[in-house]
Structure formats: C-alpha cells, structure tokens
Amino acid sequence: MSNHVSCTISEGIAHVRLNRPDKLNALTLDILEDLVSTARELLRDKTLRAVVVSGEGDAFCAGLDFASVMRDPAGVAKAFIPRPLRGTNTFQEAPWAFRRIPVPVIAAVHGHCLGGGLQIALAADFRIATPDSRWSVLEGKWGLIPDMSGIQALKELVGIDRAKLLTMTA
C-alpha cells in the first residue's frame, strides 16, 4: 500500500484515509489500486464492525488527478481493462469494492468531494458531510461519462427518475 492511503483498525472500526492533502486527496492510479486492495483486505476481516472513509487535510477528495494520471497512458489503458472475477475496471472497482464489505461503510466528507471522490462517497452506505462540503461531478460538462460506479449507486440510492433529474440540473 502506498503512503497515500492508510488503514488502521481499532476495536473493530477501520479508518481508511486518503492521505494526499497537498493535492486535496486527488486520485492517482496508485491510489485507486490501493483503495481496491484495502477494501479487499477489509472484506476478509471477520472482526470488523464498521468502516470510515475520510480524507486528510482540507478535502475528502478532489477527484481524479488528470495531470498525474495522463503521464502514464499505458497505466490508464490497463486501468480500463475489466478484471476477470468482477468485470469491473480499476476506476469502477475502487469505489465498488467498498460496497461489498458486509459492515456499514461511512464516508466522512469535508471540503471538496468531486468527481471520483463523489463516486467513492456514493459507494458508502452512509455519507456524513460537513456543512461546507462541496459536491460535484463535472464530467458531463466535459463530455465524459462518470463511470466509476457512482451513477449506479446514485440510481439505487434515490431512484432512476430522481437520479436523472439531479444529473440534468446545474
């Protein structure tokens, strides 16, 4: 695991922290892989009672760090390849793996919760946010499809009709 994702367990409560505060916890390919492996480790822990996902510093997660990710075109291409067991790619599996954990997963959101960060928060069972948190998915403005499983989670959380309404209003 990189030093940009930490996981500590105390009294059955796992604390998963994005730890890249200088970049508002923006996601890199390594962080996405670390989130997948962390969720898989937690899935195997039978003593676990809950998981809290949070971000260090001023933000929960500012989304994908495009500058960092685009420096590795081969890594991006590999990250889009579906994994054989689940059929999800790395971008999708990073949030979706937390949905498979059989205990409550809580996203503790503060500051920016953007793009991929929002999709990670949507994968949690509960989202607790500070009043000053800022949530947004900007992919639609750029002609991109937000495909990290957040749209599927949003549809399940609020229903397809409300999800479409929410994605169409600015």
Side-chain angles (χ1 to χ4, degrees), residues 5 44 46 86 133 156:
V5 174
R44 292 189 292 269
K46 302 305 179 203
R86 302 281 187 205
S133 62
E156 291 175 10

Side-chain angles (χ1 to χ4, degrees), residues 10-170:
S10 176
E11 298 181 19
I13 310 297
H15 295 271
V16 177
R17 293 178 184 86
L18 297 174
N19 189 20
R20 195 174 177 229
D22 58 315
K23 297 291 184 176
L24 301 176
N25 300 312
L27 302 168
T28 64
L29 295 175
D30 288 339
I31 291 172
L32 293 169
E33 285 291 347
D34 289 347
L35 287 168
V36 171
S37 62
T38 298
R40 287 186 178 163
E41 287 174 26
L42 294 173
L43 181 64
R44 292 189 292 269
D45 186 340
K46 302 305 179 203
T47 67
L48 209 57
R49 295 182 306 139
V51 176
V52 178
V53 181
S54 64
E56 295 290 343
D58 295 331
F60 176 74
C61 179
L64 190 64
D65 182 346
F66 283 98
S68 168
V69 169
M70 296 314 288
R71 284 194 296 265
D72 184 8
V76 171
K78 180 182 174 201
F80 274 114
I81 297 171
R83 295 164 184 255
L85 180 62
R86 302 281 187 205
T88 53
N89 64 42
T90 300
F91 295 100
Q92 296 162 336
E93 189 64 17
W96 202 259
F98 283 89
R99 295 189 65 159
R100 293 190 192 97
I101 298 173
V103 299
V105 176
I106 303 155
V109 177
H110 71 287
H112 295 298
C113 183
L114 310 176
L118 186 143
Q119 296 191 62
I120 291 167
L122 286 174
D125 298 301
F126 302 97
R127 285 146 299 284
I128 309 297
T130 61
D132 65 336
S133 62
R134 310 247 335 149
W135 299 62
S136 181
V137 176
L138 297 172
E139 285 89 335
K141 289 184 178 183
W142 302 324
L144 302 171
I145 298 170
D147 186 28
M148 285 179 62
S149 76
I151 299 304
Q152 178 68 25
L154 182 63
K155 181 182 83 169
E156 291 175 10
L157 290 168
V158 300
I160 189 66
D161 56 338
R162 179 55 85 186
K164 284 182 180 182
L165 180 64
L166 288 171
T167 59
M168 299 309 284
T169 58

